Every structure is written in structure tokens, then in C-alpha cells.
């Protein structure tokens, strides 16, 4: 089950040989280093000019066969001439507008049941990110495996694609699902945090459907995955806070998967930003992953898809729970309600002498596929001052 030689920068592991080979190949093409958000070494890194790291989250493309696959839930006048190619066009538009440092596809990337060849569908779905030389990572949803590839097959394909930072699973442990991995984002080159992960991204396989006869409905994040998550988080936190230059609090963590947790039902319109236009399609039991995230202590937000016409963020026990809203035109939606993507922009703190340090704030907004590529629901998800920083003692020292 282990993912030998995967291109993944996990905690406490040396850079795998496969990554070096990929980087050598990329360097030969002379283009990989051109992207501002990832250094010439191919690592994910905050930008030197702005001290930012920006992610575009793409949820539920439901890509199938391209031009011959029609659109769902678009106004009657727009049905003709609408296909998966509209999803492709939206990807290019949002990437050009946002110039992200990383693209994250959070599952149901393809709609397996309507795809003739799952690998080809996935290649076509992801193509704009590769074409634009953007680093990208993906998890799988509940529809990716309904075509010619199994869940393992789909995830292996995603791991092997160009510029993919996706991973299959951690090495050396038995774990449920496919596509449980983490990525580290380093501080700005030339600063004291250049060799440290100042932002941690966790990716999990939230499964597809229950395999327990007495439990109906969708899958869930299993205990084995939660143990891996907790160990990874605590190892990253130890490294960040105990190794020089020692940091006083953990680097923020962001978590990405497909199916909502039952806790996404904790909100009403008074305490979320965005809309809720359908029920929360979580598993019918609670496997405890929300509690695992709260206990870990470093997670500031979790980003999912699955329910295409919900696009809100709400905060529960210090963690922002965020939908992206549906992206793809072959996915169900709501006619007249634009397809959309979520943007997550992380900003570093600058010291009085102008050096970039750790993360100061995490912001988000959505981009709509309307004529103006409108930006909506801009909000701060987390601020270092608000619930991250330790209280100062009266004498100014940290308690
Ligand atoms: C799909 O793309 C075509 C070609 O660019 C365009 O004319 C049409 O309006 C798009 N449909 C939707 C629903 O965006
Ligand atoms: C959101 O508001 C509703 C209605 O006031 C309340 O019942 C619920 O507990 C609130 N949820 C959170 C997470 O604060």
C-alpha cells in the first residue's frame, strides 16, 4: 500500500529520488523555475515580493469526455454549445486572474460514469494547470473511480501526472483510502524561515460510500487516516517549535478533502459567509475527524466540495469549515447561479526591519464564472493576533 518513491515532501523525510528526477527533467525544460510562488528548487515557497502564498481550490469539475459531454443546470438558452470545454475555459480564466502558487482539486475531478477513459478524462480536466506550469495537487471524491480506473488507479494516475504534487499514501504504514499526504510551504528564500514549513497542507481521502451494511450513505475519514494526520501534525509542530530558529506557536495547517464532515451542519445564515442551498451530504455517522483537527491544534481551516450549491465558510471551535461551491459544468448546479472557485491567500508577517516571518493572516474569496469574473464573499479566515498569539505578560515577555 505504501507509495514508494512518490513526489511528496512529507514530515521528516528526505526528498525522494523521483522528485529529484522530476526536477532535473523540469530544469531541462527551463520553465519550472519561472513561477514566482515556487522556487527554482521546485519547493512550495512564499513569494519574496509580497510575502504571500495563494491557492485556488477547484471542487467538483465532474469532467467526462470533453466537447461531447453536455452541461447540467445552465439556463435553457445556454444548453446548446455548452460542454466540459466550458469547465476548461473557466480554469484558464481563473488561473489568469489569480496567478496562484498552487492549485488544489478537491475531488469529483472527473465524473467516472460518463467518461469513456478515466485517465484521458483526468488528463483533460487537469490540463490547464499543467499548460500554465502551475504546481497542483489533488484528492479524489466519490465519482472519480466510477469509470475505467479504481480509486487506487485514479490516485496513482494523479500522482504520476506532470507538475503533480499529489501523493498516494504515507510510506511504511497501512492506511485506509488513497491520496492521504501532506505538503509543506517554506518561508521566503533568504530569510530565517526559508528552510522551515511555515504553512502545512494536509490532504485526505474522505472515501466514497459506506461499506458497512448497517450504515447507509457516504464514506468517512477512518481512524487509520486520523492517526496518520495526528502524527504528521505533531511531528511538524515539534520541528517548527523545537528546532532553530524556534517558533512560539505552530505553523497554521489547512486541510483539503471532498465530503463534508457532519460538523458542517453547525451553522445557519447568521454565522456563515456564503450560501447554503442544499443539505449537508456528510456520512451518516461521525468518525471524529473534526475532533482530531481541533485536538491537533494547528488546523485553521478545512476546505471541501461535494455539495455544489453550498459555498459557505463558518467557524466552529476555532476552525473555519469551508465549501468551495461547484466548478464544473457537467456537475449539477443551479441555473443562473454561477460556477465558482475558492481562493485562499495566506499572508506572512513582516518584522520592523522588513524581513518576512511566519504567517500573519489567511484570507479567502470566491471567483465566479460570470462575464466580470466577479470576486465575492471576501473574508479573513484567521488572524495571528486573534487566536494564535500567546498573551504577553505585563513585563512584555511571553507567558
Ligand atoms: C460555453 O462556452 C461557449 C463558447 O465559449 C459560450 O458561448 C457559452 O456561453 C458558454 N456557456 C456557459 C453556460 O457559460
Ligand atoms: C449559529 O447560529 C445558530 C442560530 O443562532 C446557532 O444555533 C448555532 O449554534 C450557531 N453555530 C455556531 C457554530 O456558532
Amino acid at each position: 500500500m505504501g507509495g514508494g518513491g512518490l513526489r511528496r515532501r512529507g514530515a521528516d523525510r528526505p526528498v525522494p529520488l523521483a522528485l529529484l528526477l522530476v526536477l532535473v527533467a523540469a530544469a531541462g525544460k527551463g520553465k519550472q523555475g519561472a513561477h514566482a510562488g515556487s522556487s527554482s528548487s521546485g519547493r512550495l515557497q512564499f513569494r519574496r515580493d509580497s510575502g504571500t502564498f495563494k491557492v485556488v481550490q477547484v471542487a467538483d469539475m465532474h469532467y467526462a469526455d470533453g466537447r461531447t459531454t453536455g452541461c447540467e443546470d445552465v439556463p435553457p438558452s445556454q444548453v446548446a454549445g455548452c460542454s466540459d470545454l466550458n469547465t476548461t475555459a473557466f480554469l484558464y480564466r481563473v488561473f489568469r486572474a489569480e496567478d496562484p502558487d498552487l492549485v488544489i482539486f478537491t475531488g469529483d475531478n472527473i465524473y467516472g460514469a460518463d467518461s469513456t477513459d478515466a485517465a484521458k478524462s483526468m488528463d483533460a480536466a487537469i490540463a490547464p494547470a499543467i499548460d500554465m506550469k502551475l504546481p497542483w495537487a489533488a484528492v479524489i471524491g466519490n465519482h472519480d473511480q466510477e469509470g475505467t480506473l479504481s480509486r487506487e488507479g485514479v490516485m496513482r494516475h494523479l500522482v504520476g501526472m506532470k507538475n503533480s504534487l499529489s501523493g498516494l499514501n504515507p510510506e511504511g504504514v497501512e492506511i485506509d483510502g488513497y491520496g492521504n499526504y501532506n505538503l509543506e510551504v517554506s518561508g521566503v528564500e533568504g530569510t530565517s524561515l526559508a528552510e522551515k514549513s511555515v504553512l502545512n497542507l494536509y490532504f485526505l481521502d474522505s472515501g466514497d460510500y459506506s461499506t458497512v451494511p448497517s450504515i447507509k450513505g457516504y464514506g468517512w475519514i477512518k481512524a487509520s487516516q486520523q492517526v496518520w494526520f495526528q502524527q504528521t501534525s505533531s511531528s511538524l509542530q515539534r520541528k517548527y517549535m523545537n528546532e532553530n530558529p524556534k517558533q512560539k506557536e505552530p505553523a497554521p495547517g489547512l486541510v483539503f478533502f471532498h465530503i463534508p464532515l457532519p460538523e458542517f451542519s453547525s451553522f445557519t445564515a447568521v454565522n456563515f459567509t456564503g450560501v447554503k442551498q442544499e443539505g449537508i451530504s456528510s456520512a451518516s455517522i461521525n468518525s471524529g475527524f473534526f475532533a482530531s483537527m481541533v485536538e491537533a491544534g494547528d488546523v485553521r481551516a478545512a476546505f471541501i466540495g461535494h455539495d455544489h450549491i453550498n459555498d459557505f465558510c463558518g467557524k466552529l471551535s476555532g476552525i473555519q469549515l469551508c465549501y468551495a461551491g461547484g466548478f464544473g459544468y457537467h456537475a449539477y448546479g443551479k441555473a443562473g447561479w454561477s460556477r465558482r472557485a475558492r481562493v485562499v491567500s495566506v499572508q506572512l508577517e513582516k518584522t520592523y526591519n522588513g524581513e518576512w516571518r511566519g504567517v500573519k493572516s489567511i484570507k479567502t474569496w470566491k471567483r465566479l464564472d460570470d462575464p466580470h469574473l466577479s470576486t465575492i464573499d471576501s473574508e479573513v479566515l484567521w488572524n495571528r493576533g486573534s487566536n494564535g498569539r500567546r498573551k504577553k505578560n505585563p513585563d512584555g515577555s511571553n507567558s
Side-chain angles (χ1 to χ4, degrees), residues 107-110 112 118 122 139-147 149 154:
D108 288 0
N109 312 303
I110 61 169
M122 196 64 85
V139 293
I140 52 177
N142 52 299
H143 289 305
D144 294 274
Q145 80 292 344
E146 290 171 343
L149 288 174
V154 173

Side-chain angles (χ1 to χ4, degrees), residues 1-4 152 156 168-170 173-178:
M1 182 97 65
E152 180 176 2
R156 279 192 190 281
L168 191 65
N169 270 336
V173 290
E174 281 290 312
I175 188 169
D176 287 277
Y178 303 95

Side-chain angles (χ1 to χ4, degrees), residues 263 265-272 314-317:
E263 283 81 2
S265 306
S266 313
F267 312 102
T268 65
V270 302
N271 43 31
F272 63 56
K315 189 174 174 184
L316 181 66
S317 303

